[in-house]
Amino acid sequence: MSDTAEREPRIFVLPNLMTAGNLLCGFLASLHIVGRFQPDDGHQRYIWAIGLILLACFFDLLDGRLARMTGQSSSFGREFDSLADVVSFGVAPALLMHDIVLAEFEQSMAGLGWLIACIYLVCGAMRLARFNCLAAMPHQGGSTHFRGCPIPVAAGVIVSLTLFLLWLDGSNREIGRWRYALPVLMLILSYLMVSNVEYPSFKAVNFRTRRSFHWVLVSILVLFFTVRYWQWMPMVLFVSYLAYGLVRPWISRQWRQQLEEEDEEEKSAKASPPAPARDDSTEDPASLI
């Protein structure tokens, strides 16, 4: 009986509430996309869906960091987070792109629209499965980078660019000829998610991280511009991170250390001998996705 109890997954309330918020945002975004709450005319339903997907990104950013700060990390949280990410950053963006532009390809290009949406969804799910496998390996939970583009970033690039195009187009449902670039972007992001391109995780950055004054000032300015110019600033942030991963191998080591500076506590942990693997790791890899 005691052996069974020891094998039960550890479930913590605070980080899993954030993950549940992520999952619910993805589900509600899907309902908005299919017109459950708004009529078909206009693109208000798209704005709501995009806002909910971006809110899901915020919940996903919080859950792992809160888990580490409060000592409430568990393998259950990692698996729950991946399931939520499939809905919020896989299904919902694929539905959004299909409704806006990919549906036009169904008759003219023999079903190419749904195929592109399926490729994106499958690559996103494979990216999450690969991450969970790597995170379960001994001494892999403390990695400071991702292998492949994180699926929240891929979803963020798609929906923030769509938001920008909708804003440029005004009140018309059609978002102009630029929308035909979105299917190409989905295929590029699909490849990046399953590629070996490394992206920094910034997982050491949390509410207790100590930074110099200029970093604090930059953070305040970024927050101000994001709130003030919500129509295009999310696109700048997501595209900048996406591009950084592509040019990262050519950036000098000194610049990378400054941009990806780790906490002193994290550096000390990396310098010390690795601890033996446990069932419930103290590092919650859910925050890396």
Side-chain angles (χ1 to χ4, degrees), residues 48-76:
W48 274 98
I50 291 170
L52 286 166
I53 294 173
L54 293 177
L55 182 60
C57 290
F58 177 73
F59 281 126
D60 186 71
L61 182 68
L62 284 182
D63 58 6
R65 282 167 170 75
L66 287 176
R68 286 194 299 273
M69 290 177 62
T70 58
Q72 296 182 347
S73 303
S74 67
S75 57
F76 175 89

PDB file of all heavy atoms in Angstrom, residues 48-76:
ATOM      1  N   TRP A  48     -11.198  38.176 -30.305  1.00  0.00           N
ATOM      2  CA  TRP A  48     -11.381  37.488 -29.037  1.00  0.00           C
ATOM      3  C   TRP A  48     -10.530  36.221 -28.967  1.00  0.00           C
ATOM      4  O   TRP A  48      -9.884  35.936 -27.934  1.00  0.00           O
ATOM      5  CB  TRP A  48     -12.858  37.124 -28.849  1.00  0.00           C
ATOM      6  CG  TRP A  48     -13.666  38.230 -28.251  1.00  0.00           C
ATOM      7  CD1 TRP A  48     -14.457  39.129 -28.910  1.00  0.00           C
ATOM      8  CD2 TRP A  48     -13.763  38.542 -26.862  1.00  0.00           C
ATOM      9  NE1 TRP A  48     -15.046  39.995 -28.031  1.00  0.00           N
ATOM     10  CE2 TRP A  48     -14.645  39.661 -26.749  1.00  0.00           C
ATOM     11  CE3 TRP A  48     -13.215  38.018 -25.696  1.00  0.00           C
ATOM     12  CZ2 TRP A  48     -14.970  40.245 -25.532  1.00  0.00           C
ATOM     13  CZ3 TRP A  48     -13.545  38.594 -24.474  1.00  0.00           C
ATOM     14  CH2 TRP A  48     -14.403  39.689 -24.406  1.00  0.00           C
ATOM     15  N   ALA A  49     -10.514  35.462 -30.045  1.00  0.00           N
ATOM     16  CA  ALA A  49      -9.735  34.227 -30.065  1.00  0.00           C
ATOM     17  C   ALA A  49      -8.245  34.515 -29.915  1.00  0.00           C
ATOM     18  O   ALA A  49      -7.539  33.834 -29.153  1.00  0.00           O
ATOM     19  CB  ALA A  49     -10.003  33.471 -31.368  1.00  0.00           C
ATOM     20  N   ILE A  50      -7.756  35.517 -30.620  1.00  0.00           N
ATOM     21  CA  ILE A  50      -6.340  35.874 -30.530  1.00  0.00           C
ATOM     22  C   ILE A  50      -5.997  36.327 -29.118  1.00  0.00           C
ATOM     23  O   ILE A  50      -4.963  35.940 -28.547  1.00  0.00           O
ATOM     24  CB  ILE A  50      -6.002  36.970 -31.552  1.00  0.00           C
ATOM     25  CG1 ILE A  50      -6.073  36.397 -32.971  1.00  0.00           C
ATOM     26  CG2 ILE A  50      -4.622  37.564 -31.290  1.00  0.00           C
ATOM     27  CD1 ILE A  50      -5.996  37.449 -34.059  1.00  0.00           C
ATOM     28  N   GLY A  51      -6.867  37.150 -28.525  1.00  0.00           N
ATOM     29  CA  GLY A  51      -6.630  37.601 -27.156  1.00  0.00           C
ATOM     30  C   GLY A  51      -6.564  36.447 -26.172  1.00  0.00           C
ATOM     31  O   GLY A  51      -5.710  36.426 -25.267  1.00  0.00           O
ATOM     32  N   LEU A  52      -7.425  35.450 -26.346  1.00  0.00           N
ATOM     33  CA  LEU A  52      -7.429  34.295 -25.447  1.00  0.00           C
ATOM     34  C   LEU A  52      -6.179  33.430 -25.638  1.00  0.00           C
ATOM     35  O   LEU A  52      -5.629  32.895 -24.660  1.00  0.00           O
ATOM     36  CB  LEU A  52      -8.691  33.464 -25.688  1.00  0.00           C
ATOM     37  CG  LEU A  52      -9.984  34.075 -25.132  1.00  0.00           C
ATOM     38  CD1 LEU A  52     -11.202  33.386 -25.711  1.00  0.00           C
ATOM     39  CD2 LEU A  52      -9.997  33.981 -23.602  1.00  0.00           C
ATOM     40  N   ILE A  53      -5.711  33.288 -26.869  1.00  0.00           N
ATOM     41  CA  ILE A  53      -4.491  32.512 -27.104  1.00  0.00           C
ATOM     42  C   ILE A  53      -3.281  33.223 -26.495  1.00  0.00           C
ATOM     43  O   ILE A  53      -2.399  32.592 -25.895  1.00  0.00           O
ATOM     44  CB  ILE A  53      -4.287  32.265 -28.610  1.00  0.00           C
ATOM     45  CG1 ILE A  53      -5.404  31.368 -29.151  1.00  0.00           C
ATOM     46  CG2 ILE A  53      -2.925  31.614 -28.877  1.00  0.00           C
ATOM     47  CD1 ILE A  53      -5.397  31.208 -30.657  1.00  0.00           C
ATOM     48  N   LEU A  54      -3.243  34.556 -26.633  1.00  0.00           N
ATOM     49  CA  LEU A  54      -2.153  35.308 -26.005  1.00  0.00           C
ATOM     50  C   LEU A  54      -2.232  35.220 -24.479  1.00  0.00           C
ATOM     51  O   LEU A  54      -1.205  35.160 -23.803  1.00  0.00           O
ATOM     52  CB  LEU A  54      -2.194  36.764 -26.459  1.00  0.00           C
ATOM     53  CG  LEU A  54      -1.877  37.010 -27.941  1.00  0.00           C
ATOM     54  CD1 LEU A  54      -2.030  38.493 -28.286  1.00  0.00           C
ATOM     55  CD2 LEU A  54      -0.464  36.540 -28.278  1.00  0.00           C
ATOM     56  N   LEU A  55      -3.443  35.205 -23.934  1.00  0.00           N
ATOM     57  CA  LEU A  55      -3.607  35.027 -22.490  1.00  0.00           C
ATOM     58  C   LEU A  55      -3.137  33.632 -22.068  1.00  0.00           C
ATOM     59  O   LEU A  55      -2.538  33.468 -20.997  1.00  0.00           O
ATOM     60  CB  LEU A  55      -5.065  35.234 -22.096  1.00  0.00           C
ATOM     61  CG  LEU A  55      -5.400  35.135 -20.600  1.00  0.00           C
ATOM     62  CD1 LEU A  55      -4.613  36.179 -19.800  1.00  0.00           C
ATOM     63  CD2 LEU A  55      -6.904  35.309 -20.375  1.00  0.00           C
ATOM     64  N   ALA A  56      -3.376  32.642 -22.904  1.00  0.00           N
ATOM     65  CA  ALA A  56      -2.876  31.293 -22.627  1.00  0.00           C
ATOM     66  C   ALA A  56      -1.351  31.278 -22.579  1.00  0.00           C
ATOM     67  O   ALA A  56      -0.752  30.568 -21.762  1.00  0.00           O
ATOM     68  CB  ALA A  56      -3.393  30.319 -23.684  1.00  0.00           C
ATOM     69  N   CYS A  57      -0.706  32.082 -23.449  1.00  0.00           N
ATOM     70  CA  CYS A  57       0.757  32.195 -23.409  1.00  0.00           C
ATOM     71  C   CYS A  57       1.214  32.749 -22.058  1.00  0.00           C
ATOM     72  O   CYS A  57       2.228  32.307 -21.504  1.00  0.00           O
ATOM     73  CB  CYS A  57       1.246  33.108 -24.528  1.00  0.00           C
ATOM     74  SG  CYS A  57       1.085  32.424 -26.198  1.00  0.00           S
ATOM     75  N   PHE A  58       0.465  33.711 -21.523  1.00  0.00           N
ATOM     76  CA  PHE A  58       0.809  34.301 -20.231  1.00  0.00           C
ATOM     77  C   PHE A  58       0.681  33.257 -19.120  1.00  0.00           C
ATOM     78  O   PHE A  58       1.565  33.139 -18.260  1.00  0.00           O
ATOM     79  CB  PHE A  58      -0.097  35.495 -19.954  1.00  0.00           C
ATOM     80  CG  PHE A  58       0.133  36.136 -18.619  1.00  0.00           C
ATOM     81  CD1 PHE A  58       1.262  36.897 -18.378  1.00  0.00           C
ATOM     82  CD2 PHE A  58      -0.791  35.970 -17.591  1.00  0.00           C
ATOM     83  CE1 PHE A  58       1.482  37.494 -17.146  1.00  0.00           C
ATOM     84  CE2 PHE A  58      -0.581  36.560 -16.352  1.00  0.00           C
ATOM     85  CZ  PHE A  58       0.560  37.321 -16.131  1.00  0.00           C
ATOM     86  N   PHE A  59      -0.407  32.481 -19.120  1.00  0.00           N
ATOM     87  CA  PHE A  59      -0.567  31.419 -18.118  1.00  0.00           C
ATOM     88  C   PHE A  59       0.549  30.386 -18.242  1.00  0.00           C
ATOM     89  O   PHE A  59       1.067  29.891 -17.234  1.00  0.00           O
ATOM     90  CB  PHE A  59      -1.926  30.732 -18.285  1.00  0.00           C
ATOM     91  CG  PHE A  59      -3.080  31.506 -17.701  1.00  0.00           C
ATOM     92  CD1 PHE A  59      -4.188  31.814 -18.470  1.00  0.00           C
ATOM     93  CD2 PHE A  59      -3.056  31.925 -16.386  1.00  0.00           C
ATOM     94  CE1 PHE A  59      -5.253  32.527 -17.932  1.00  0.00           C
ATOM     95  CE2 PHE A  59      -4.109  32.638 -15.831  1.00  0.00           C
ATOM     96  CZ  PHE A  59      -5.222  32.941 -16.613  1.00  0.00           C
ATOM     97  N   ASP A  60       0.921  30.058 -19.476  1.00  0.00           N
ATOM     98  CA  ASP A  60       1.974  29.072 -19.691  1.00  0.00           C
ATOM     99  C   ASP A  60       3.323  29.587 -19.201  1.00  0.00           C
ATOM    100  O   ASP A  60       4.150  28.804 -18.726  1.00  0.00           O
ATOM    101  CB  ASP A  60       2.058  28.743 -21.184  1.00  0.00           C
ATOM    102  CG  ASP A  60       3.023  27.613 -21.476  1.00  0.00           C
ATOM    103  OD1 ASP A  60       2.703  26.471 -21.131  1.00  0.00           O
ATOM    104  OD2 ASP A  60       4.106  27.883 -22.029  1.00  0.00           O
ATOM    105  N   LEU A  61       3.517  30.889 -19.307  1.00  0.00           N
ATOM    106  CA  LEU A  61       4.757  31.489 -18.817  1.00  0.00           C
ATOM    107  C   LEU A  61       4.838  31.412 -17.293  1.00  0.00           C
ATOM    108  O   LEU A  61       5.929  31.263 -16.722  1.00  0.00           O
ATOM    109  CB  LEU A  61       4.842  32.942 -19.276  1.00  0.00           C
ATOM    110  CG  LEU A  61       6.097  33.736 -18.912  1.00  0.00           C
ATOM    111  CD1 LEU A  61       7.304  33.189 -19.667  1.00  0.00           C
ATOM    112  CD2 LEU A  61       5.902  35.217 -19.231  1.00  0.00           C
ATOM    113  N   LEU A  62       3.694  31.496 -16.628  1.00  0.00           N
ATOM    114  CA  LEU A  62       3.671  31.552 -15.173  1.00  0.00           C
ATOM    115  C   LEU A  62       3.773  30.190 -14.493  1.00  0.00           C
ATOM    116  O   LEU A  62       4.387  30.081 -13.426  1.00  0.00           O
ATOM    117  CB  LEU A  62       2.388  32.237 -14.692  1.00  0.00           C
ATOM    118  CG  LEU A  62       2.299  33.764 -14.810  1.00  0.00           C
ATOM    119  CD1 LEU A  62       0.976  34.235 -14.244  1.00  0.00           C
ATOM    120  CD2 LEU A  62       3.456  34.428 -14.079  1.00  0.00           C
ATOM    121  N   ASP A  63       3.166  29.168 -15.090  1.00  0.00           N
ATOM    122  CA  ASP A  63       2.972  27.936 -14.318  1.00  0.00           C
ATOM    123  C   ASP A  63       4.270  27.298 -13.834  1.00  0.00           C
ATOM    124  O   ASP A  63       4.417  26.974 -12.657  1.00  0.00           O
ATOM    125  CB  ASP A  63       2.110  26.925 -15.093  1.00  0.00           C
ATOM    126  CG  ASP A  63       2.689  26.556 -16.450  1.00  0.00           C
ATOM    127  OD1 ASP A  63       3.825  26.989 -16.755  1.00  0.00           O
ATOM    128  OD2 ASP A  63       2.019  25.840 -17.211  1.00  0.00           O
ATOM    129  N   GLY A  64       5.242  27.142 -14.730  1.00  0.00           N
ATOM    130  CA  GLY A  64       6.491  26.510 -14.315  1.00  0.00           C
ATOM    131  C   GLY A  64       7.301  27.366 -13.368  1.00  0.00           C
ATOM    132  O   GLY A  64       7.936  26.866 -12.437  1.00  0.00           O
ATOM    133  N   ARG A  65       7.290  28.693 -13.607  1.00  0.00           N
ATOM    134  CA  ARG A  65       8.049  29.587 -12.724  1.00  0.00           C
ATOM    135  C   ARG A  65       7.460  29.600 -11.319  1.00  0.00           C
ATOM    136  O   ARG A  65       8.184  29.597 -10.335  1.00  0.00           O
ATOM    137  CB  ARG A  65       8.080  30.997 -13.318  1.00  0.00           C
ATOM    138  CG  ARG A  65       9.084  31.117 -14.453  1.00  0.00           C
ATOM    139  CD  ARG A  65       8.911  32.392 -15.268  1.00  0.00           C
ATOM    140  NE  ARG A  65      10.026  32.575 -16.178  1.00  0.00           N
ATOM    141  CZ  ARG A  65      10.205  31.893 -17.292  1.00  0.00           C
ATOM    142  NH1 ARG A  65       9.322  30.969 -17.639  1.00  0.00           N
ATOM    143  NH2 ARG A  65      11.260  32.113 -18.079  1.00  0.00           N
ATOM    144  N   LEU A  66       6.144  29.605 -11.217  1.00  0.00           N
ATOM    145  CA  LEU A  66       5.519  29.542  -9.902  1.00  0.00           C
ATOM    146  C   LEU A  66       5.811  28.205  -9.226  1.00  0.00           C
ATOM    147  O   LEU A  66       6.001  28.140  -8.014  1.00  0.00           O
ATOM    148  CB  LEU A  66       4.007  29.746 -10.039  1.00  0.00           C
ATOM    149  CG  LEU A  66       3.544  31.166 -10.365  1.00  0.00           C
ATOM    150  CD1 LEU A  66       2.035  31.195 -10.569  1.00  0.00           C
ATOM    151  CD2 LEU A  66       3.949  32.133  -9.267  1.00  0.00           C
ATOM    152  N   ALA A  67       5.843  27.133 -10.026  1.00  0.00           N
ATOM    153  CA  ALA A  67       6.125  25.816  -9.459  1.00  0.00           C
ATOM    154  C   ALA A  67       7.525  25.769  -8.858  1.00  0.00           C
ATOM    155  O   ALA A  67       7.732  25.242  -7.756  1.00  0.00           O
ATOM    156  CB  ALA A  67       5.970  24.745 -10.540  1.00  0.00           C
ATOM    157  N   ARG A  68       8.509  26.325  -9.560  1.00  0.00           N
ATOM    158  CA  ARG A  68       9.871  26.309  -9.037  1.00  0.00           C
ATOM    159  C   ARG A  68      10.027  27.225  -7.839  1.00  0.00           C
ATOM    160  O   ARG A  68      10.709  26.897  -6.876  1.00  0.00           O
ATOM    161  CB  ARG A  68      10.860  26.714 -10.143  1.00  0.00           C
ATOM    162  CG  ARG A  68      11.086  25.651 -11.193  1.00  0.00           C
ATOM    163  CD  ARG A  68      12.312  25.974 -12.039  1.00  0.00           C
ATOM    164  NE  ARG A  68      12.154  27.241 -12.737  1.00  0.00           N
ATOM    165  CZ  ARG A  68      11.566  27.380 -13.917  1.00  0.00           C
ATOM    166  NH1 ARG A  68      11.048  26.316 -14.502  1.00  0.00           N
ATOM    167  NH2 ARG A  68      11.491  28.551 -14.502  1.00  0.00           N
ATOM    168  N   MET A  69       9.404  28.397  -7.890  1.00  0.00           N
ATOM    169  CA  MET A  69       9.533  29.357  -6.787  1.00  0.00           C
ATOM    170  C   MET A  69       8.903  28.836  -5.504  1.00  0.00           C
ATOM    171  O   MET A  69       9.384  29.115  -4.414  1.00  0.00           O
ATOM    172  CB  MET A  69       8.905  30.689  -7.180  1.00  0.00           C
ATOM    173  CG  MET A  69       9.676  31.463  -8.240  1.00  0.00           C
ATOM    174  SD  MET A  69       8.824  32.982  -8.705  1.00  0.00           S
ATOM    175  CE  MET A  69       8.833  33.842  -7.130  1.00  0.00           C
ATOM    176  N   THR A  70       7.795  28.093  -5.636  1.00  0.00           N
ATOM    177  CA  THR A  70       7.082  27.596  -4.459  1.00  0.00           C
ATOM    178  C   THR A  70       7.452  26.161  -4.110  1.00  0.00           C
ATOM    179  O   THR A  70       6.890  25.594  -3.171  1.00  0.00           O
ATOM    180  CB  THR A  70       5.557  27.687  -4.684  1.00  0.00           C
ATOM    181  OG1 THR A  70       5.210  26.925  -5.851  1.00  0.00           O
ATOM    182  CG2 THR A  70       5.126  29.132  -4.869  1.00  0.00           C
ATOM    183  N   GLY A  71       8.383  25.557  -4.869  1.00  0.00           N
ATOM    184  CA  GLY A  71       8.766  24.176  -4.609  1.00  0.00           C
ATOM    185  C   GLY A  71       7.661  23.183  -4.895  1.00  0.00           C
ATOM    186  O   GLY A  71       7.559  22.154  -4.231  1.00  0.00           O
ATOM    187  N   GLN A  72       6.797  23.485  -5.881  1.00  0.00           N
ATOM    188  CA  GLN A  72       5.655  22.630  -6.188  1.00  0.00           C
ATOM    189  C   GLN A  72       5.772  22.015  -7.584  1.00  0.00           C
ATOM    190  O   GLN A  72       4.797  21.872  -8.304  1.00  0.00           O
ATOM    191  CB  GLN A  72       4.353  23.431  -6.074  1.00  0.00           C
ATOM    192  CG  GLN A  72       4.070  23.933  -4.684  1.00  0.00           C
ATOM    193  CD  GLN A  72       2.753  24.692  -4.590  1.00  0.00           C
ATOM    194  OE1 GLN A  72       2.159  25.042  -5.601  1.00  0.00           O
ATOM    195  NE2 GLN A  72       2.293  24.934  -3.383  1.00  0.00           N
ATOM    196  N   SER A  73       6.982  21.643  -7.957  1.00  0.00           N
ATOM    197  CA  SER A  73       7.201  21.023  -9.263  1.00  0.00           C
ATOM    198  C   SER A  73       6.899  19.532  -9.203  1.00  0.00           C
ATOM    199  O   SER A  73       7.109  18.886  -8.182  1.00  0.00           O
ATOM    200  CB  SER A  73       8.641  21.238  -9.715  1.00  0.00           C
ATOM    201  OG  SER A  73       8.952  22.617  -9.760  1.00  0.00           O
ATOM    202  N   SER A  74       6.431  18.995 -10.320  1.00  0.00           N
ATOM    203  CA  SER A  74       6.147  17.563 -10.366  1.00  0.00           C
ATOM    204  C   SER A  74       6.073  17.118 -11.812  1.00  0.00           C
ATOM    205  O   SER A  74       5.889  17.918 -12.727  1.00  0.00           O
ATOM    206  CB  SER A  74       4.813  17.238  -9.663  1.00  0.00           C
ATOM    207  OG  SER A  74       3.728  17.775 -10.387  1.00  0.00           O
ATOM    208  N   SER A  75       6.223  15.813 -12.007  1.00  0.00           N
ATOM    209  CA  SER A  75       6.089  15.251 -13.353  1.00  0.00           C
ATOM    210  C   SER A  75       4.650  15.373 -13.845  1.00  0.00           C
ATOM    211  O   SER A  75       4.406  15.486 -15.051  1.00  0.00           O
ATOM    212  CB  SER A  75       6.522  13.782 -13.356  1.00  0.00           C
ATOM    213  OG  SER A  75       5.760  13.038 -12.423  1.00  0.00           O
ATOM    214  N   PHE A  76       3.693  15.366 -12.931  1.00  0.00           N
ATOM    215  CA  PHE A  76       2.291  15.565 -13.319  1.00  0.00           C
ATOM    216  C   PHE A  76       2.107  16.921 -13.985  1.00  0.00           C
ATOM    217  O   PHE A  76       1.406  17.038 -14.999  1.00  0.00           O
ATOM    218  CB  PHE A  76       1.387  15.455 -12.078  1.00  0.00           C
ATOM    219  CG  PHE A  76      -0.063  15.768 -12.368  1.00  0.00           C
ATOM    220  CD1 PHE A  76      -0.920  14.762 -12.777  1.00  0.00           C
ATOM    221  CD2 PHE A  76      -0.560  17.054 -12.224  1.00  0.00           C
ATOM    222  CE1 PHE A  76      -2.259  15.048 -13.056  1.00  0.00           C
ATOM    223  CE2 PHE A  76      -1.885  17.347 -12.497  1.00  0.00           C
ATOM    224  CZ  PHE A  76      -2.742  16.339 -12.908  1.00  0.00           C
TER     225      PHE A  76
END
